[in-house]
Amino acid sequence: MPIIRFRAVKAADVRIISRALVDDLQKLTGSPREYFTLEVISSVYITDGIDAEGPPIVEVGWFDRGQELQDMAAKAITRHVQSAGYENVDVIFNIFRETSYYENGEHF
């Protein structure tokens, strides 16, 4: 945690940006490097009955860290994904409640 999921972004591109992205997010959040999970989700986008290229979407699941830090994280994520050649990037935050997030059967 944080969990960062990429859609319509190639795994090879995430590999290239992953180190610098986590470096930046680690500085912002103060979270240890090993807490970050990056996942590439294979999605099929369909428009009018045919396969289509979808927009790059990055979903971030984490505990609330305030609007200012969230804004900085969104800008860092956008910058790194754009550096891999994706022009328009959507970043969506899913905020976890500590009492709803369990690790080894215990909530935070």
Side-chain angles (χ1 to χ4, degrees):
M1 217 286 290
I3 301 166
I4 305 168
R5 295 184 174 110
F6 297 84
R7 286 180 166 68
V9 178
K10 295 175 185 170
D13 293 332
V14 174
R15 285 185 196 99
I16 291 168
I17 66 171
S18 65
R19 182 177 304 275
L21 173 61
V22 172
D23 286 346
D24 285 352
L25 294 176
Q26 185 179 14
K27 288 175 192 169
L28 286 174
T29 64
S31 296
R33 183 171 212 84
E34 61 270 13
Y35 282 16
F36 289 86
T37 301
L38 277 62
E39 177 183 11
V40 176
I41 299 173
S42 177
S43 299
V44 176
Y45 292 85
I46 300 170
T47 301
D48 295 329
I50 59 172
D51 291 354
E53 188 173 321
I57 299 172
V58 182
E59 291 183 55
V60 180
W62 69 358
F63 296 127
D64 188 9
R65 289 174 163 85
Q67 190 66 54
E68 184 178 354
L69 195 137
Q70 182 173 292
D71 291 349
M72 290 187 289
K75 287 179 181 171
I77 292 166
T78 299
R79 185 177 68 253
H80 285 285
V81 175
Q82 286 178 334
S83 77
Y86 300 87
E87 187 175 336
N88 296 308
V89 180
D90 294 340
V91 180
I92 302 167
F93 287 86
N94 296 308
I95 307 302
F96 299 142
R97 290 186 1 226
E98 285 83 354
T99 57
S100 298
Y101 188 100
Y102 289 76
E103 184 173 294
N104 297 321
E106 300 293 326
H107 71 78
F108 283 78

